[in-house]
């Protein structure tokens, strides 16, 4: 039974690591529920201490799993284009201050693809990237 518990725990950790590495959300609930069931079975089979430890850790995973799995802190208020200087905007996008419109748009697309909230990125960072694009594009209009 101990070998089964270690194997299932290792499998759960591997699954969690692969999901985190790919940038997808980690389903904390199924890990916590599975661990709690395994811990309960272990306690009924005579491994009270180990089973209680597994069940306790799984319960903590159920409670705090989202924050342990990379849950997001509340994002700051979205920035408007006027809150960023041209130099800050260019630095954020990784372009020069005098970059062309096409360079700005290409840099924005590349960054937003990696940092969009739907792809596991931060809403605050996505707002800053959008504000940087707007700042640089508006500075070209004048």
């Amino acid at each position: 039974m101990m070998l089964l518990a270690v194997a299932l725990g290792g499998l759960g950790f591997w699954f969690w690591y692969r999901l985190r590495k790919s940038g997808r959300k980690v389903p904390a609930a199924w890990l916590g529920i599975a661990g709690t069931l395994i811990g309960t079975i272990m306690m009924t089979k005579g491994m009270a201490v180990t089973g209680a430890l597994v069940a306790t850790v799984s319960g903590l995973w159920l409670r705090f799993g989202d924050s342990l799995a990379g849950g997001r802190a509340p994002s700051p208020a979205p920035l408007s284009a006027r809150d960023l200087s041209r130099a800050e905007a260019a630095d954020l996008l990784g372009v020069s201050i005098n970059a062309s419109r096409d360079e700005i748009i290409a840099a924005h697309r590349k960054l937003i693809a990696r940092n969009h909230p739907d792809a596991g990125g931060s809403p605050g960072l996505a707002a800053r990237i959008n504000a940087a694009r707007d700042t640089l594009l508006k500075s070209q209009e004048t």
Side-chain angles (χ1 to χ4, degrees), residues 88-122:
E88 290 172 331
D91 186 47
L92 181 62
L93 291 179
V95 297
S96 69
I97 293 176
N98 300 322
S100 70
R101 178 178 177 81
D102 292 336
E103 290 173 333
I104 294 168
I105 291 172
H108 172 264
R109 284 185 182 160
K110 182 178 175 183
L111 279 175
I112 205 68
R114 280 190 262 148
N115 296 298
H116 195 275
D118 291 343
S122 163

Side-chain angles (χ1 to χ4, degrees), residues 66-91:
D66 290 337
S67 61
L68 294 174
R72 295 180 189 95
S75 60
L79 295 175
S80 65
R82 64 176 176 241
D83 292 336
L84 286 173
S85 70
R86 286 182 63 210
E88 290 172 331
D91 186 47

Side-chain angles (χ1 to χ4, degrees), residues 1-16:
M1 184 50 98
M2 182 59 114
L3 183 61
L4 176 64
V6 170
L8 289 175
L11 181 64
F13 180 78
W14 176 81
F15 189 84
W16 171 78

